[in-house]
Amino acid sequence: MSSDPREDTPKETTWTQEIEIAADKLDARIRELIEEGNVRRIIIRNTEGQPLLEIPLTAGVAVGTLLTILTPVLAVIGALAAIVTRVRLEIVRVDDENTFGND
């Protein structure tokens, strides 16, 4: 009997979270999100919901390497924080099916 190889592949669940934060906390919060590892995209929006910056994050890249690659983006985030007072972060996360209690 042969089984479908797709059955053995872990299924991923994508979900989004939206938070509103003060712009001066933006840099630190983005660094925290990168370190979490399951974040695939961060979209920075103004308070009206218009996108200001989208940051795609690659799965499987070491956090230190990713932070080094994103140094110019973090500089833009710092400049953005000087212009606006509050922003909304849309955080796109990916979790394995196994993360939800299938031990």
Side-chain angles (χ1 to χ4, degrees):
M1 283 201 306
S2 66
S3 64
D4 187 348
R6 291 176 290 178
E7 292 176 4
D8 297 331
T9 306
K11 294 181 177 46
E12 292 182 336
T13 303
T14 301
W15 53 282
T16 61
Q17 173 186 15
E18 195 168 298
I19 58 173
E20 188 170 324
I21 64 169
D24 62 341
K25 308 276 189 235
L26 188 57
D27 184 65
R29 184 64 178 129
I30 292 207
R31 288 176 187 268
E32 289 172 10
L33 290 168
I34 291 170
E35 290 175 5
E36 287 179 21
N38 67 340
V39 176
R40 295 296 171 254
R41 184 178 317 130
I42 300 171
I43 303 168
I44 302 171
R45 300 179 184 274
N46 63 14
T47 53
E48 289 81 36
Q50 299 168 326
L52 302 173
L53 181 66
E54 183 172 339
I55 308 166
L57 303 174
T58 305
V61 177
V63 172
T65 304
L66 191 55
L67 285 173
T68 302
I69 292 169
L70 291 177
T71 299
V73 174
L74 294 172
V76 169
I77 291 168
L80 185 64
I83 297 170
V84 296
T85 56
R86 295 196 69 77
V87 294
R88 289 170 38 192
L89 287 181
E90 181 180 332
I91 304 155
V92 179
R93 299 176 186 269
V94 176
D95 286 317
D96 289 346
E97 178 183 72
N98 300 329
T99 308
F100 297 108
N102 294 336
D103 295 337

Short mmCIF file of all heavy atoms in Angstrom, two decimals, residues 21-74:
data_model
loop_
_atom_site.label_atom_id
_atom_site.label_comp_id
_atom_site.label_asym_id
_atom_site.label_seq_id
_atom_site.Cartn_x
_atom_site.Cartn_y
_atom_site.Cartn_z
N ILE A 21 0.40 50.47 18.42
CA ILE A 21 1.43 50.82 19.39
C ILE A 21 1.96 52.22 19.11
O ILE A 21 1.77 52.77 18.02
CB ILE A 21 2.61 49.81 19.37
CG1 ILE A 21 3.35 49.85 18.03
CG2 ILE A 21 2.16 48.42 19.69
CD1 ILE A 21 4.65 49.09 18.04
N ALA A 22 2.63 52.77 20.10
CA ALA A 22 3.29 54.06 19.93
C ALA A 22 4.48 53.86 19.01
O ALA A 22 5.19 52.85 19.10
CB ALA A 22 3.74 54.61 21.28
N ALA A 23 4.71 54.80 18.11
CA ALA A 23 5.76 54.66 17.12
C ALA A 23 7.15 54.56 17.75
O ALA A 23 8.03 53.91 17.20
CB ALA A 23 5.71 55.83 16.13
N ASP A 24 7.33 55.18 18.91
CA ASP A 24 8.65 55.11 19.54
C ASP A 24 8.97 53.72 20.09
O ASP A 24 10.11 53.41 20.41
CB ASP A 24 8.80 56.18 20.64
CG ASP A 24 7.80 56.02 21.77
OD1 ASP A 24 6.77 55.34 21.59
OD2 ASP A 24 8.06 56.59 22.84
N LYS A 25 7.99 52.83 20.18
CA LYS A 25 8.18 51.44 20.63
C LYS A 25 8.29 50.48 19.44
O LYS A 25 8.47 49.28 19.62
CB LYS A 25 7.00 51.00 21.50
CG LYS A 25 6.68 51.92 22.65
CD LYS A 25 7.56 51.64 23.81
CE LYS A 25 7.06 52.42 25.00
NZ LYS A 25 8.03 53.26 25.60
N LEU A 26 8.18 51.00 18.23
CA LEU A 26 8.10 50.19 17.03
C LEU A 26 9.35 49.34 16.80
O LEU A 26 9.25 48.14 16.56
CB LEU A 26 7.84 51.10 15.82
CG LEU A 26 7.53 50.46 14.50
CD1 LEU A 26 6.32 49.55 14.60
CD2 LEU A 26 7.29 51.52 13.45
N ASP A 27 10.52 49.93 16.87
CA ASP A 27 11.76 49.21 16.61
C ASP A 27 11.92 48.02 17.55
O ASP A 27 12.19 46.90 17.11
CB ASP A 27 12.94 50.17 16.74
CG ASP A 27 14.26 49.51 16.40
OD1 ASP A 27 14.45 49.12 15.24
OD2 ASP A 27 15.09 49.39 17.32
N ALA A 28 11.73 48.23 18.83
CA ALA A 28 11.88 47.16 19.81
C ALA A 28 10.85 46.06 19.59
O ALA A 28 11.17 44.86 19.67
CB ALA A 28 11.75 47.71 21.23
N ARG A 29 9.61 46.43 19.27
CA ARG A 29 8.55 45.42 19.05
C ARG A 29 8.84 44.59 17.81
O ARG A 29 8.64 43.37 17.82
CB ARG A 29 7.19 46.12 18.94
CG ARG A 29 6.05 45.16 18.82
CD ARG A 29 5.90 44.31 20.08
NE ARG A 29 4.77 43.44 19.94
CZ ARG A 29 4.81 42.12 20.16
NH1 ARG A 29 5.90 41.55 20.59
NH2 ARG A 29 3.73 41.39 19.97
N ILE A 30 9.35 45.21 16.76
CA ILE A 30 9.66 44.46 15.53
C ILE A 30 10.80 43.48 15.79
O ILE A 30 10.76 42.35 15.34
CB ILE A 30 9.97 45.43 14.38
CG1 ILE A 30 8.68 46.14 14.04
CG2 ILE A 30 10.61 44.70 13.21
CD1 ILE A 30 8.48 46.65 12.69
N ARG A 31 11.80 43.90 16.55
CA ARG A 31 12.89 42.98 16.90
C ARG A 31 12.37 41.79 17.69
O ARG A 31 12.77 40.65 17.45
CB ARG A 31 13.97 43.71 17.70
CG ARG A 31 14.77 44.68 16.85
CD ARG A 31 15.77 45.47 17.70
NE ARG A 31 16.41 46.50 16.94
CZ ARG A 31 17.57 46.35 16.30
NH1 ARG A 31 18.19 45.19 16.35
NH2 ARG A 31 18.10 47.34 15.61
N GLU A 32 11.45 42.02 18.62
CA GLU A 32 10.84 40.92 19.39
C GLU A 32 10.10 39.96 18.47
O GLU A 32 10.20 38.74 18.61
CB GLU A 32 9.86 41.47 20.42
CG GLU A 32 10.49 42.19 21.58
CD GLU A 32 9.45 42.88 22.47
OE1 GLU A 32 8.24 42.63 22.29
OE2 GLU A 32 9.86 43.67 23.33
N LEU A 33 9.34 40.51 17.53
CA LEU A 33 8.58 39.67 16.61
C LEU A 33 9.50 38.82 15.75
O LEU A 33 9.22 37.64 15.50
CB LEU A 33 7.68 40.54 15.73
CG LEU A 33 6.51 41.20 16.45
CD1 LEU A 33 5.87 42.26 15.56
CD2 LEU A 33 5.49 40.17 16.88
N ILE A 34 10.60 39.38 15.29
CA ILE A 34 11.55 38.63 14.48
C ILE A 34 12.13 37.47 15.30
O ILE A 34 12.27 36.36 14.80
CB ILE A 34 12.66 39.56 13.96
CG1 ILE A 34 12.09 40.52 12.91
CG2 ILE A 34 13.82 38.75 13.37
CD1 ILE A 34 13.03 41.64 12.51
N GLU A 35 12.43 37.72 16.55
CA GLU A 35 13.01 36.69 17.41
C GLU A 35 12.03 35.56 17.70
O GLU A 35 12.45 34.44 17.99
CB GLU A 35 13.51 37.31 18.71
CG GLU A 35 14.74 38.17 18.49
CD GLU A 35 15.19 38.90 19.74
OE1 GLU A 35 14.61 38.67 20.82
OE2 GLU A 35 16.12 39.71 19.62
N GLU A 36 10.73 35.82 17.61
CA GLU A 36 9.73 34.77 17.86
C GLU A 36 9.84 33.65 16.84
O GLU A 36 9.56 32.50 17.15
CB GLU A 36 8.33 35.35 17.85
CG GLU A 36 8.01 36.16 19.09
CD GLU A 36 6.62 36.74 19.06
OE1 GLU A 36 5.75 36.23 18.32
OE2 GLU A 36 6.40 37.71 19.80
N GLY A 37 10.21 33.96 15.61
CA GLY A 37 10.46 32.93 14.62
C GLY A 37 9.28 32.47 13.79
O GLY A 37 9.47 31.94 12.71
N ASN A 38 8.05 32.63 14.25
CA ASN A 38 6.90 32.16 13.46
C ASN A 38 6.22 33.29 12.69
O ASN A 38 5.18 33.09 12.10
CB ASN A 38 5.89 31.42 14.34
CG ASN A 38 5.19 32.33 15.33
OD1 ASN A 38 5.66 33.41 15.66
ND2 ASN A 38 4.06 31.89 15.82
N VAL A 39 6.83 34.47 12.68
CA VAL A 39 6.25 35.61 11.97
C VAL A 39 6.78 35.59 10.53
O VAL A 39 7.98 35.47 10.30
CB VAL A 39 6.62 36.93 12.67
CG1 VAL A 39 6.12 38.13 11.88
CG2 VAL A 39 6.07 36.95 14.08
N ARG A 40 5.89 35.67 9.57
CA ARG A 40 6.27 35.62 8.16
C ARG A 40 6.20 36.98 7.47
O ARG A 40 6.85 37.20 6.47
CB ARG A 40 5.38 34.64 7.39
CG ARG A 40 5.57 33.23 7.84
CD ARG A 40 6.99 32.75 7.53
NE ARG A 40 7.23 31.47 8.14
CZ ARG A 40 7.99 31.27 9.20
NH1 ARG A 40 8.59 32.27 9.79
NH2 ARG A 40 8.14 30.07 9.69
N ARG A 41 5.40 37.89 8.01
CA ARG A 41 5.27 39.22 7.40
C ARG A 41 4.79 40.19 8.47
O ARG A 41 3.97 39.85 9.30
CB ARG A 41 4.27 39.18 6.25
CG ARG A 41 4.16 40.49 5.52
CD ARG A 41 3.19 40.46 4.34
NE ARG A 41 3.33 39.26 3.54
CZ ARG A 41 2.33 38.47 3.18
NH1 ARG A 41 1.10 38.76 3.52
NH2 ARG A 41 2.55 37.40 2.45
N ILE A 42 5.33 41.40 8.40
CA ILE A 42 4.87 42.48 9.27
C ILE A 42 4.49 43.64 8.37
O ILE A 42 5.27 44.05 7.51
CB ILE A 42 5.97 42.92 10.25
CG1 ILE A 42 6.40 41.76 11.14
CG2 ILE A 42 5.50 44.10 11.09
CD1 ILE A 42 7.63 42.04 11.97
N ILE A 43 3.29 44.15 8.55
CA ILE A 43 2.83 45.29 7.78
C ILE A 43 2.60 46.44 8.76
O ILE A 43 1.85 46.29 9.72
CB ILE A 43 1.53 44.98 7.01
CG1 ILE A 43 1.75 43.77 6.09
CG2 ILE A 43 1.08 46.20 6.21
CD1 ILE A 43 0.49 43.20 5.51
N ILE A 44 3.27 47.55 8.51
CA ILE A 44 3.10 48.74 9.34
C ILE A 44 2.10 49.64 8.64
O ILE A 44 2.27 49.99 7.48
CB ILE A 44 4.44 49.47 9.55
CG1 ILE A 44 5.46 48.52 10.18
CG2 ILE A 44 4.24 50.72 10.40
CD1 ILE A 44 6.85 49.08 10.24
N ARG A 45 1.03 49.99 9.36
CA ARG A 45 -0.03 50.83 8.80
C ARG A 45 -0.19 52.08 9.66
O ARG A 45 0.09 52.05 10.85
CB ARG A 45 -1.36 50.07 8.78
CG ARG A 45 -1.34 48.81 7.95
CD ARG A 45 -2.68 48.09 8.00
NE ARG A 45 -2.65 46.85 7.30
CZ ARG A 45 -2.87 46.70 5.99
NH1 ARG A 45 -3.15 47.76 5.26
NH2 ARG A 45 -2.83 45.52 5.43
N ASN A 46 -0.68 53.14 9.03
CA ASN A 46 -1.02 54.31 9.83
C ASN A 46 -2.33 54.03 10.57
O ASN A 46 -2.94 52.97 10.39
CB ASN A 46 -1.07 55.59 8.98
CG ASN A 46 -2.16 55.56 7.92
OD1 ASN A 46 -3.06 54.73 7.94
ND2 ASN A 46 -2.07 56.46 6.98
N THR A 47 -2.77 54.96 11.39
CA THR A 47 -3.97 54.71 12.19
C THR A 47 -5.24 54.60 11.36
O THR A 47 -6.24 54.07 11.82
CB THR A 47 -4.14 55.81 13.26
OG1 THR A 47 -4.11 57.08 12.63
CG2 THR A 47 -3.04 55.73 14.31
N GLU A 48 -5.19 55.08 10.11
CA GLU A 48 -6.34 54.93 9.21
C GLU A 48 -6.32 53.60 8.46
O GLU A 48 -7.22 53.30 7.69
CB GLU A 48 -6.37 56.07 8.17
CG GLU A 48 -6.74 57.42 8.75
CD GLU A 48 -5.55 58.10 9.43
OE1 GLU A 48 -4.41 57.96 8.93
OE2 GLU A 48 -5.74 58.73 10.47
N GLY A 49 -5.26 52.81 8.66
CA GLY A 49 -5.18 51.49 8.02
C GLY A 49 -4.43 51.45 6.71
O GLY A 49 -4.31 50.40 6.10
N GLN A 50 -3.88 52.57 6.27
CA GLN A 50 -3.11 52.58 5.02
C GLN A 50 -1.71 52.02 5.27
O GLN A 50 -1.05 52.42 6.23
CB GLN A 50 -3.01 54.00 4.47
CG GLN A 50 -4.36 54.61 4.14
CD GLN A 50 -4.24 56.11 3.88
OE1 GLN A 50 -3.44 56.80 4.47
NE2 GLN A 50 -5.09 56.59 2.97
N PRO A 51 -1.25 51.10 4.40
CA PRO A 51 0.07 50.51 4.61
C PRO A 51 1.19 51.53 4.39
O PRO A 51 1.17 52.29 3.42
CB PRO A 51 0.13 49.40 3.58
CG PRO A 51 -0.95 49.66 2.61
CD PRO A 51 -1.95 50.55 3.26
N LEU A 52 2.14 51.55 5.32
CA LEU A 52 3.31 52.41 5.20
C LEU A 52 4.55 51.61 4.80
O LEU A 52 5.39 52.09 4.05
CB LEU A 52 3.58 53.13 6.52
CG LEU A 52 2.44 54.00 7.06
CD1 LEU A 52 2.78 54.52 8.45
CD2 LEU A 52 2.16 55.15 6.10
N LEU A 53 4.66 50.39 5.31
CA LEU A 53 5.83 49.55 5.05
C LEU A 53 5.45 48.10 5.27
O LEU A 53 4.75 47.77 6.23
CB LEU A 53 6.97 49.94 6.01
CG LEU A 53 8.29 49.20 5.88
CD1 LEU A 53 8.95 49.50 4.53
CD2 LEU A 53 9.23 49.61 7.00
N GLU A 54 5.90 47.22 4.36
CA GLU A 54 5.66 45.79 4.51
C GLU A 54 7.02 45.10 4.59
O GLU A 54 7.89 45.33 3.75
CB GLU A 54 4.86 45.24 3.33
CG GLU A 54 4.53 43.79 3.48
CD GLU A 54 3.56 43.27 2.44
OE1 GLU A 54 2.83 44.08 1.84
OE2 GLU A 54 3.55 42.05 2.23
N ILE A 55 7.17 44.25 5.59
CA ILE A 55 8.44 43.56 5.81
C ILE A 55 8.20 42.06 5.69
O ILE A 55 7.62 41.45 6.59
CB ILE A 55 9.01 43.88 7.21
CG1 ILE A 55 9.08 45.38 7.44
CG2 ILE A 55 10.37 43.22 7.40
CD1 ILE A 55 9.30 45.77 8.88
N PRO A 56 8.63 41.45 4.59
CA PRO A 56 8.52 39.98 4.49
C PRO A 56 9.68 39.33 5.24
O PRO A 56 10.82 39.79 5.15
CB PRO A 56 8.61 39.72 2.99
CG PRO A 56 9.37 40.89 2.44
CD PRO A 56 9.11 42.05 3.36
N LEU A 57 9.39 38.29 6.00
CA LEU A 57 10.43 37.58 6.74
C LEU A 57 10.52 36.17 6.20
O LEU A 57 9.51 35.51 5.99
CB LEU A 57 10.10 37.57 8.24
CG LEU A 57 9.90 38.95 8.86
CD1 LEU A 57 9.43 38.82 10.30
CD2 LEU A 57 11.18 39.75 8.79
N THR A 58 11.72 35.69 5.98
CA THR A 58 11.94 34.38 5.41
C THR A 58 12.01 33.33 6.50
O THR A 58 12.71 33.51 7.49
CB THR A 58 13.27 34.37 4.61
OG1 THR A 58 13.21 35.41 3.66
CG2 THR A 58 13.50 33.05 3.94
N ALA A 59 11.30 32.24 6.29
CA ALA A 59 11.33 31.14 7.25
C ALA A 59 12.68 30.45 7.21
O ALA A 59 13.31 30.33 6.16
CB ALA A 59 10.24 30.14 6.90
N GLY A 60 13.15 30.01 8.36
CA GLY A 60 14.37 29.22 8.42
C GLY A 60 15.66 30.02 8.43
O GLY A 60 16.73 29.44 8.43
N VAL A 61 15.60 31.33 8.45
CA VAL A 61 16.80 32.14 8.52
C VAL A 61 17.09 32.43 9.98
O VAL A 61 16.19 32.78 10.74
CB VAL A 61 16.63 33.46 7.72
CG1 VAL A 61 17.86 34.34 7.86
CG2 VAL A 61 16.35 33.17 6.26
N ALA A 62 18.34 32.29 10.39
CA ALA A 62 18.71 32.53 11.78
C ALA A 62 18.39 33.98 12.15
O ALA A 62 18.54 34.89 11.34
CB ALA A 62 20.19 32.26 11.99
N VAL A 63 17.97 34.19 13.39
CA VAL A 63 17.55 35.51 13.85
C VAL A 63 18.66 36.53 13.68
O VAL A 63 18.44 37.64 13.19
CB VAL A 63 17.08 35.45 15.32
CG1 VAL A 63 16.82 36.84 15.86
CG2 VAL A 63 15.83 34.60 15.44
N GLY A 64 19.88 36.19 14.06
CA GLY A 64 21.00 37.13 13.93
C GLY A 64 21.23 37.54 12.49
O GLY A 64 21.45 38.71 12.18
N THR A 65 21.17 36.58 11.59
CA THR A 65 21.32 36.87 10.16
C THR A 65 20.19 37.74 9.66
O THR A 65 20.42 38.70 8.93
CB THR A 65 21.35 35.55 9.35
OG1 THR A 65 22.38 34.72 9.87
CG2 THR A 65 21.57 35.80 7.89
N LEU A 66 18.99 37.44 10.09
CA LEU A 66 17.82 38.20 9.65
C LEU A 66 17.90 39.64 10.13
O LEU A 66 17.62 40.57 9.38
CB LEU A 66 16.54 37.53 10.14
CG LEU A 66 15.23 38.04 9.57
CD1 LEU A 66 15.26 37.98 8.04
CD2 LEU A 66 14.08 37.24 10.09
N LEU A 67 18.30 39.83 11.38
CA LEU A 67 18.43 41.20 11.89
C LEU A 67 19.51 41.98 11.13
O LEU A 67 19.36 43.17 10.87
CB LEU A 67 18.73 41.19 13.39
CG LEU A 67 17.53 40.86 14.28
CD1 LEU A 67 17.98 40.69 15.73
CD2 LEU A 67 16.44 41.90 14.18
N THR A 68 20.59 41.30 10.74
CA THR A 68 21.64 41.95 9.96
C THR A 68 21.12 42.35 8.59
O THR A 68 21.37 43.46 8.11
CB THR A 68 22.85 41.00 9.80
OG1 THR A 68 23.32 40.65 11.10
CG2 THR A 68 23.95 41.66 9.01
N ILE A 69 20.37 41.47 7.96
CA ILE A 69 19.80 41.75 6.64
C ILE A 69 18.81 42.91 6.72
O ILE A 69 18.74 43.75 5.83
CB ILE A 69 19.10 40.49 6.07
CG1 ILE A 69 20.14 39.42 5.75
CG2 ILE A 69 18.28 40.82 4.84
CD1 ILE A 69 19.55 38.06 5.44
N LEU A 70 18.06 42.98 7.81
CA LEU A 70 17.02 43.99 7.95
C LEU A 70 17.51 45.31 8.55
O LEU A 70 16.70 46.20 8.80
CB LEU A 70 15.88 43.45 8.80
CG LEU A 70 15.05 42.34 8.17
CD1 LEU A 70 13.99 41.85 9.13
CD2 LEU A 70 14.41 42.81 6.88
N THR A 71 18.81 45.48 8.74
CA THR A 71 19.33 46.72 9.32
C THR A 71 18.85 47.96 8.57
O THR A 71 18.40 48.92 9.20
CB THR A 71 20.86 46.68 9.41
OG1 THR A 71 21.23 45.60 10.27
CG2 THR A 71 21.43 47.95 9.96
N PRO A 72 18.89 48.00 7.23
CA PRO A 72 18.36 49.19 6.53
C PRO A 72 16.86 49.39 6.77
O PRO A 72 16.40 50.52 6.90
CB PRO A 72 18.63 48.91 5.06
CG PRO A 72 19.66 47.84 5.03
CD PRO A 72 19.49 47.06 6.30
N VAL A 73 16.12 48.31 6.86
CA VAL A 73 14.68 48.40 7.12
C VAL A 73 14.45 48.96 8.52
O VAL A 73 13.57 49.80 8.73
CB VAL A 73 14.00 47.02 6.96
CG1 VAL A 73 12.55 47.08 7.38
CG2 VAL A 73 14.13 46.52 5.53
N LEU A 74 15.25 48.53 9.48
CA LEU A 74 15.11 49.04 10.84
C LEU A 74 15.44 50.53 10.90
O LEU A 74 14.85 51.27 11.68
CB LEU A 74 15.98 48.23 11.80
CG LEU A 74 15.56 46.77 11.98
CD1 LEU A 74 16.59 46.00 12.80
CD2 LEU A 74 14.19 46.66 12.61
#
